[in-house]
Amino acid sequence: MTTLDLAPLWRTTVGFDRLFDLLEDSGQWTVGDNYPPYDIKRVGEDHYQISLALAGFTPDEVSITAEQNTLIVEGRKAEKGSHQYLYQGISSRPFRRMFNLAEYVDVKDAWFEDGMLKIDLVREVPEAMKPRRIAISTGDHQQVENHQQVENEQAA
């Protein structure tokens, strides 16, 4: 794989450090990093769901941590006696899966269902950050302010 040169973008942008770090880190992903298998679904406009196949794990053996813009799911099987397996096809190895989250994406719920760990995520943009429509006044703005002062004085 060729390397991606982000130098021209660094010279002309401000505040995109995290995005560039994500792009650079994407080149380090390996084919062997596929356990546990997972799906990411868009359930609604601002609602997402991550499903991880965790057959054989219990809720006590899995931890979910939400840090700033990162979701970490870790699992470690508890040792339960000594078994003599003739064949062991169900993986019980420890894992750590990290997901990078966009700004304002929060974890709302997590539960086990049919051997799947499901995690609900919702993007909730604060009102102050949402686009807003700006009214355009007509005429001279100074006259409008003076007219309102005259009306207020007459009313008093």
Side-chain angles (χ1 to χ4, degrees):
M1 180 177 167
T2 60
T3 59
L4 181 62
D5 182 20
L6 300 175
L9 295 173
W10 280 109
R11 290 190 296 253
T12 59
T13 60
V14 176
F16 290 91
D17 303 354
R18 185 171 183 277
L19 176 63
F20 295 146
D21 290 343
L22 287 173
L23 288 172
E24 288 175 354
D25 291 345
S26 69
Q28 297 174 5
W29 293 339
T30 61
V31 177
D33 186 23
N34 59 1
Y35 181 78
Y38 66 93
D39 291 333
I40 301 175
K41 293 189 287 187
R42 180 180 224 156
V43 181
E45 185 175 337
D46 290 323
H47 186 201
Y48 305 89
Q49 188 176 81
I50 298 174
S51 301
L52 290 98
L54 298 181
F57 282 86
T58 65
D60 294 337
E61 298 168 331
V62 177
S63 69
I64 302 171
T65 307
E67 296 176 5
Q68 183 178 355
N69 297 333
T70 305
L71 174 67
I72 301 169
V73 181
E74 295 178 288
R76 182 171 303 278
K77 290 290 292 177
E79 294 295 325
K80 294 185 178 179
S82 60
H83 299 283
Q84 182 180 6
Y85 288 98
L86 299 177
Y87 173 77
Q88 185 174 5
I90 299 174
S91 180
S92 62
R93 68 181 184 220
F95 68 89
R96 178 181 170 103
R97 175 67 71 179
M98 293 179 60
F99 299 94
N100 291 304
L101 304 178
E103 289 187 47
Y104 311 115
V105 173
D106 294 321
V107 177
K108 291 299 177 186
D109 197 12
W111 69 96
F112 267 101
E113 179 180 299
D114 299 328
M116 303 288 284
L117 173 65
K118 298 195 177 193
I119 304 169
D120 269 346
L121 304 158
V122 177
R123 182 176 57 183
E124 295 175 339
V125 179
E127 285 297 320
M129 300 302 290
K130 290 183 181 178
R132 57 186 170 94
R133 188 173 198 96
I134 308 298
I136 302 172
S137 59
T138 58
D140 186 19
H141 186 66
Q142 184 67 27
Q143 287 180 342
V144 172
E145 288 180 356
N146 289 339
H147 180 66
Q148 288 174 347
Q149 287 177 346
V150 170
E151 286 179 356
N152 289 342
E153 290 173 2
Q154 289 175 353

